[in-house]
Amino acid sequence: MKISRVFVCMCLLISQIGYGSGSITLGLGAAGATGLAAAIYAGLERIKCVAYECCYPNTEWTRPNMTALSQNLKIKLYGQHLVKKVVHRALRGHLSTSEPKKALVMSFHGWTGGGKNYVARFVAESLYKLGMRSNYVHQFVSPLHFPHHHLTDIYKLHLQDWIRNNVTKCERSLFIFDEIDKMPVGMIDAIKPFIDYHESIDGVDFRKSIFLFLSNTGGANITRRMLELWKEGKNREDIELSDLEDLILKGAFNEKDSDLVNSGLHHSELIHHSLVDHYIPFLPLERHHIELCAEDELARRNLRPQKDVIKKVADEMVYFPAETKLFSKTGCKRVAQKVSFLIAHDEDYDRLFD
């Protein structure tokens, strides 16, 4: 028998007990019967959590695992020491209080292939047992979900309804906005009420929810600053957030000559009201990071980490600037395709297997 049918049967039984006569009248009354029915329904909902994902606290489905996040960032993310430090601390701080002041908002910036989607996935996996497959993870890809600028007002209404309905179902919801630089200008302001300092809106508390913005914007500015610091002899691992954060914070979103001018955050109310908690730069990756990604890709396919294959993958990538070839143009994004191509044309294919 399905749980919903069990619930209906129990309610009918309770109503008969509550309103019956003689020996079966237990004195529950209307209020008592309703309260008991609600308690039974809550209990049945908890039983559902054994087999189905639910958002009740202290269940395996939504129990945060900061150790897993730390390990994933440490072992699987290359060349992003700033990301490792800020993301883990920000998320741990947000989760450490039962009543945060506002929703957590992190904005990831940098060129493609630096690991932005990778980190978003790690965050989802640290919050939910099902990771990105969880019902409480909501991912929007701007060119797919918001392709037409003339429909911005309609998109905004739909987005607000989506966020409100899903946070009503689960306070600890995760919203990921990918390619926010391709979102219609002004549209992201639709989420402002949900990430502002409100205890609740129409009886719904949004303060436990988490919003991630992923954008390629800022990549050029970050890379220019990285080259300057490299020429000054500063080690990559010694670069601080303060060396880069000002590129985004100090008016970069509104400067006409900025590569951020067409981003979804351009002239945004979120910027003007300081509602983005952390601007996190993803640094351009170097050749040795590409080699590590290639080694990981081989391991993922249960193949031996052959040095010649790893070198060929790194050789196949495009680097810049021309005089130094310090950074990969596409980061690790095309590594999987390069590995597939190389192993498919390997004359001694069997040597790759253990």
Side-chain angles (χ1 to χ4, degrees), residues 126-270:
S126 71
L127 294 174
Y128 313 101
K129 179 182 178 180
L130 297 180
M132 292 296 294
R133 295 182 293 109
S134 171
N135 291 321
Y136 312 124
V137 176
H138 312 282
Q139 185 173 29
F140 303 92
V141 181
S142 294
L144 175 63
H145 294 102
F146 318 116
H148 306 295
H149 287 240
H150 66 281
L151 297 177
T152 297
D153 290 339
I154 295 175
Y155 291 152
K156 290 169 77 170
L157 292 174
H158 287 326
L159 181 59
Q160 287 181 335
D161 286 341
W162 182 263
I163 293 173
R164 185 184 296 108
N165 291 338
N166 281 284
V167 174
T168 300
K169 296 174 184 176
C170 184
E171 289 183 331
R172 187 75 72 192
S173 291
L174 174 64
F175 300 92
I176 303 170
F177 293 86
D178 195 6
E179 297 189 67
I180 194 173
D181 45 304
K182 296 179 177 63
M183 181 181 287
V185 174
M187 190 195 144
I188 197 64
D189 289 337
I191 75 168
K192 179 181 178 294
F194 309 126
I195 65 173
D196 213 332
Y197 292 84
H198 303 301
E199 288 190 5
S200 67
I201 300 174
D202 295 332
V204 182
D205 187 352
F206 295 89
R207 295 174 298 171
K208 292 182 181 179
S209 55
I210 298 167
F211 293 78
L212 303 181
F213 302 152
L214 282 58
S215 173
N216 290 339
T217 54
N221 288 337
I222 291 168
T223 300
R224 279 193 289 269
R225 180 66 63 85
M226 286 286 292
L227 280 170
E228 292 171 1
L229 295 170
W230 178 74
K231 290 175 181 178
E232 293 170 6
K234 192 164 188 175
N235 293 327
R236 184 186 183 99
E237 288 71 25
D238 293 332
I239 293 173
E240 299 289 343
L241 187 61
S242 58
D243 293 319
L244 299 166
E245 196 174 29
D246 63 302
L247 298 176
I248 300 171
L249 288 177
K250 294 181 179 178
F253 284 101
N254 300 314
E255 292 176 0
K256 291 183 179 180
D257 60 346
S258 170
D259 66 332
L260 299 169
V261 70
N262 293 317
S263 81
L265 288 170
H266 180 55
H267 285 307
S268 170
E269 289 293 310
L270 277 59

Side-chain angles (χ1 to χ4, degrees), residues 39-58:
I40 291 175
Y41 178 75
L44 292 172
E45 285 294 297
R46 291 300 292 258
I47 292 174
K48 282 173 59 178
C49 293
V50 175
Y52 302 100
E53 185 183 33
C54 64
C55 193
Y56 280 98
N58 299 318

Side-chain angles (χ1 to χ4, degrees), residues 24 65-66 71 76 84 115 161 163 218 225-226 276 285 300 336:
I24 63 171
N65 188 339
M66 291 297 97
Q71 286 297 104
K76 299 179 181 179
K84 295 177 182 180
D161 286 341
I163 293 173
R225 180 66 63 85
M226 286 286 292
V276 178
L285 299 183
R300 188 182 70 83

Side-chain angles (χ1 to χ4, degrees), residues 81-100:
H81 65 286
L82 296 176
V83 177
K84 295 177 182 180
K85 182 188 300 183
V86 179
V87 169
H88 185 266
R89 290 181 180 179
L91 197 60
R92 184 177 60 186
H94 184 71
L95 296 171
S96 65
T97 173
S98 59
E99 291 192 5

